[in-house]
Amino acid sequence: MCGIVGYLGFREPLPIILDGLRRLEYRGYDSAGVALNRNGCITVRKSAGKVAELAAQVESNPEYAGARAGMGHSRWATHGEPNDVNAHPHVDCTGRVAVIHNGIIENYAALKTQLQHRGHVFASATDTEVLAHLIEDFLRTTPDLYGAVKASLREVRGTYGLVVMDAHAPEVMIAARMGSPLIIGVGEGEHIIASDAAAIVAHTRQVVYLNDGEVSEVRPDGMRTSTIFDVPISKEITNVTIELSQIERGGYEHFMLKEIHEQPETIRNGMRGRLRVEDGEVKLGGLEHVRDKLVQAKRIVLIGCGTSWHAGLVGEYMLEQIAKVPVEVEYASEYRYRSPLVGKDDVVFLISQSGETADTLAALREAKRHGATVLGIVNVVGSTIPRETDGGMYVHAGPEIGVASTKAFTSQLTALGLITIMIARAKGLPREEANVLTRELASIPDKVARVLAQSDAIKQLAQEFKDSRNFLFLGRGANFPVALEGALKLKEISYIHAEGYPAAEMKHGPIALIDEHMPVVFVVPKDAIYEKVLSNIHEVRARKGQIIAIANEDDTEIDKLADHVIRVPRTYGFFGPIVNVIPLQLLAYYIAVARGTNVDQPRNLAKSVTVE
Ligand code: G6P
């Protein structure tokens, strides 16, 4: 979602800001802008479209050189369409105060009316613009920007990651956070404020994470922080561990393709030091202190959005069947408003790649309020969810830049597999049985690599289906969520309408859609319900649907029924979905490439959804 970059220091701000915005492009956005403080005057340039279009207008333009401080923003529209006027930064009517903002100001309409009565004239349809006017209004009676921003934020209801500049104070920038991440990179004689570490690591690894309700006054050579109610806070400087190479494409045409191919390694990283194969044991440091709670839990609730919710659906099969604990899987956006029946005997896992998804965070707080033990399964280290949970585990997939989640999904499944084995063992699963599972999990990276080796064949298949208007994905058991994920990947990046269904449910509706133009992807490994899925394949074949089967390497039966077969190695113990989803990721990717869409930044989507 929206991206923030602010720079204050001895260097020219514009190149640093544009580089930062480019590194945040992956989050998804539809317009961009910069504001620079030059000679006590704020110059703003904004543009609908991509950062490249903005850069073409400002790079090598003398009007934007020689600034003392500056900030840039990429906007994902919420209030007001994506155009030049609604893009950030926004300034007040005197041009003194400029703001960039991620989040939503919920009471903006009331504030706007009050400010208009006081003579403020608004230029845009955004909620953000009220902040610029409000701060300027307070500056008339407050001695400095720091005080004026805090006074303003005490009037505001909503969420924000916010950076503010004052034309009269080029040596100061204010950063504030409520529900939308903000990180301050600390350099020698310079500071970079950003919504994501990706915009900072090229310059410094030392960072300060702001918490909700905190405001920092940042200067080139120092900073101070307090709450919006003026209570001083001393902040710790921490080290970001991601490498620059991890957030670059490394020779691949798209980040998504790079991330698909990284999976043998990322899955291995998630298990490293945790899986003791021969002992049939799993050690998870971040869950050790809640081990008893997990073992005694009456129920486990898995909560997430999008792909992370799909991971939860697979987790339900693992945990119920192997760890013998009742599981519920919930959409975070529904859970938060449902007055859920949850309490101290429940363990709630929040599953999130970014650790920042607004709905997932709200669900976390709701479960916590009811006394449940709340735990995270998160990828981004240091993000908000792990900071608010009672414990959890990082999945260690590394930075995921492509908007459509791939490697984070398989890492989430790996994490759920590890948690399952840990609980099962603690509940008395014999070592020999656990050993079968640990060996199976350890074999997954090689099996994934075997599927990746078939990329060329999948690319050819994609050519054949690139003009299809609809797709159906079907699977059963733990492979039903794989079907959902396959459909989601395809619609996200190729814009082809796709639905995922439990294979047997097809006859209760989707079967009406099947004719010779409908491709149907079956995930059909040789498991206990294999024969049942074959019957469903017959039903599609009888109606002339085009059948693509994801089937095991040793399945000879399937060739007689399917038009196309993609082979996957056999996998036992509900870990099959980790392998079976790989061809679906590749199919979606190559179809999108064949259709010429923007694979890494599909239209309208955001990588991390930090608004409701
Ligand atoms: C967005 C992303 C999805 C992701 C979902 C949940 O919609 O585009 O790829 O699955 O948010 O995000 P999270 O970071 O919580 O896993």
Side-chain angles (χ1 to χ4, degrees):
M1 222 154 224
C2 311
I4 281 179
V5 189
Y7 178 81
L8 198 62
F10 58 89
R11 286 188 274 170
E12 189 72 49
L14 188 63
I16 295 169
I17 294 165
L18 291 174
D19 175 67
L21 289 180
R22 286 184 188 111
R23 291 187 190 280
L24 298 186
E25 285 196 295
Y26 78 93
R27 297 173 67 92
Y29 69 103
D30 34 48
S31 54
V34 290
L36 295 156
N37 197 336
R38 298 164 73 236
N39 314 320
C41 202
I42 291 178
T43 314
V44 175
R45 188 67 177 236
K46 313 195 280 191
S47 163
K50 293 291 170 194
V51 172
E53 289 160 53
L54 173 74
Q57 296 165 33
V58 295
E59 258 170 346
S60 349
N61 181 338
E63 263 182 63
Y64 299 91
R68 304 266 303 278
M71 60 191 190
H73 188 263
S74 47
R75 170 175 186 253
W76 188 83
T78 58
H79 294 60
E81 63 176 277
N83 58 26
D84 293 5
V85 178
N86 291 336
H88 301 206
H90 288 284
V91 289
D92 71 290
C93 28
T94 69
R96 175 173 175 186
V97 172
V99 300
I100 52 177
H101 166 225
N102 291 355
I104 293 177
I105 304 303
E106 285 165 11
N107 59 338
Y108 86 100
L111 290 170
K112 186 169 177 175
T113 310
Q114 280 170 28
L115 287 159
Q116 280 168 330
H117 283 141
R118 292 165 64 82
H120 289 264
V121 178
F122 282 76
S124 76
T126 65
D127 52 331
T128 298
E129 195 186 338
V130 296
L131 293 171
H133 293 271
L134 191 61
I135 294 165
E136 191 272 337
D137 211 74
F138 272 108
L139 270 175
R140 296 176 193 176
T141 51
T142 316
D144 65 354
L145 186 64
Y146 194 28
V149 172
K150 284 190 265 190
S152 302
L153 293 179
R154 291 197 286 266
E155 308 265 312
V156 158
R157 230 180 35 244
T159 54
Y160 47 81
L162 176 73
V163 183
V164 189
M165 292 196 326
D166 175 0
H168 299 181
E171 72 292 351
V172 174
M173 239 179 219
I174 308 297
R177 171 191 164 138
M178 178 65 79
S180 192
L182 214 50
I183 306 170
I184 302 171
V186 183
E188 295 267 328
E190 60 181 355
H191 282 94
I192 304 169
I193 306 166
S195 50
D196 184 320
I200 294 178
V201 287
H203 308 285
T204 174
R205 302 192 156 275
Q206 309 267 290
V207 300
V208 170
Y209 289 98
L210 284 194
N211 290 324
D212 281 352
E214 293 180 353
V215 190
S216 294
E217 183 194 54
V218 183
R219 292 170 182 275
D221 51 2
M223 59 178 276
R224 57 180 173 149
T225 303
S226 77
T227 68
I228 62 169
F229 299 104
D230 278 333
V231 180
I233 292 175
S234 101
K235 298 295 293 179
E236 199 187 316
I237 297 181
T238 44
N239 237 320
V240 195
T241 48
I242 53 172
E243 297 295 330
L244 204 52
S245 60
Q246 288 181 288
I247 48 174
E248 284 170 352
R249 267 195 283 132
Y252 284 92
E253 197 184 337
H254 295 100
F255 279 110
M256 183 176 174
L257 187 62
K258 173 181 175 235
E259 286 155 8
I260 290 173
H261 280 274
E262 278 172 355
Q263 289 176 108
E265 198 49 35
T266 50
I267 294 167
R268 215 171 266 129
N269 285 344
M271 296 191 285
R272 188 162 289 136
R274 293 168 162 172
L275 189 64
R276 300 223 307 255
V277 180
E278 292 318 320
D279 303 335
E281 289 280 357
V282 167
K283 289 273 167 237
L284 299 171
L287 294 177
E288 208 50 55
H289 64 294
V290 288
R291 198 181 154 97
D292 290 348
K293 287 228 152 122
L294 274 166
V295 173
Q296 288 152 14
K298 289 226 165 65
R299 184 175 63 147
I300 289 181
V301 185
L302 305 173
I303 301 180
C305 301
T307 290
S308 297
W309 180 74
H310 292 162
L313 292 177
V314 178
E316 180 175 24
Y317 284 90
M318 295 178 183
L319 286 160
E320 286 202 339
Q321 303 296 313
I322 303 171
K324 310 288 180 211
V325 54
V327 175
E328 270 173 42
V329 187
E330 304 268 2
Y331 279 118
S333 53
E334 289 299 311
Y335 189 79
R336 61 183 295 186
Y337 290 119
R338 222 190 47 206
S339 310
L341 294 177
V342 63
K344 62 176 179 31
D345 296 328
D346 296 311
V347 172
V348 175
F349 277 99
L350 292 308
I351 308 174
S352 174
Q353 186 286 128
S354 62
E356 302 290 353
T357 303
D359 285 326
T360 312
L361 201 49
L364 184 171
R365 291 171 183 159
E366 182 65 15
K368 203 172 186 174
R369 209 166 58 79
H370 285 85
T373 301
V374 289
L375 303 169
I377 298 175
V378 172
N379 187 34
V380 177
V381 176
S383 56
T384 309
I385 290 174
R387 288 193 283 139
E388 293 199 14
T389 42
D390 302 317
M393 61 186 288
Y394 285 117
V395 302
H396 294 312
E400 188 177 69
I401 308 290
V403 164
S405 183
T406 51
K407 64 175 181 170
F409 179 68
T410 49
S411 292
Q412 289 165 342
L413 297 189
T414 307
L416 285 159
L418 291 169
I419 293 168
T420 300
I421 297 172
M422 185 191 94
I423 300 175
R425 219 32 191 122
K427 282 183 156 183
L429 183 77
R431 178 187 157 148
E432 311 75 64
E433 286 178 41
N435 182 244
V436 175
L437 295 172
T438 51
R439 263 189 284 144
E440 196 63 37
L441 205 49
S443 75
I444 297 280
D446 290 340
K447 291 182 177 172
V448 168
R450 254 153 66 191
V451 182
L452 290 172
Q454 301 171 57
S455 289
D456 286 347
I458 297 172
K459 188 175 179 177
Q460 270 181 21
L461 195 61
Q463 280 300 331
E464 199 162 319
F465 287 98
K466 71 178 177 14
D467 297 318
S468 298
R469 304 276 301 274
N470 296 288
F471 254 87
L472 203 53
F473 288 77
L474 302 175
R476 293 192 77 165
N479 287 300
F480 156 53
V482 173
L484 289 178
E485 179 60 8
L488 180 65
K489 286 293 85 87
L490 186 68
K491 71 183 128 194
E492 280 179 316
I493 58 171
S494 74
Y495 317 143
I496 294 174
H497 169 246
E499 286 191 54
Y501 255 87
E505 272 292 307
M506 177 188 64
K507 48 190 172 303
H508 299 291
I511 199 163
L513 301 172
I514 292 172
D515 60 14
E516 67 275 24
H517 303 297
M518 176 65 102
V520 185
V521 181
F522 278 93
V523 186
V524 54
K526 278 201 135 183
D527 55 16
I529 41 177
Y530 171 74
E531 302 287 343
K532 308 271 177 203
V533 184
L534 284 194
S535 307
N536 302 134
I537 296 181
H538 276 288
E539 289 158 8
V540 172
R541 200 175 153 80
R543 288 160 184 86
K544 300 196 167 53
Q546 304 178 58
I547 296 160
I548 303 169
I550 312 299
N552 286 147
E553 290 163 340
D554 58 349
D555 184 346
T556 46
E557 197 61 22
I558 198 73
D559 299 290
K560 299 178 200 145
L561 290 175
D563 299 294
H564 305 275
V565 182
I566 304 172
R567 301 287 173 178
V568 288
R570 260 201 212 222
T571 311
Y572 168 78
F574 300 101
F575 305 138
I578 312 178
V579 178
N580 301 342
V581 76
I582 309 291
L584 303 188
Q585 295 172 344
L586 286 167
L587 187 64
Y589 172 78
Y590 283 118
I591 288 180
V593 170
R595 288 168 70 90
T597 59
N598 187 343
V599 173
D600 283 334
Q601 295 157 42
R603 69 182 181 205
N604 304 340
L605 295 179
K607 181 70 186 156
S608 163
V609 178
T610 49
V611 296
E612 256 195 85

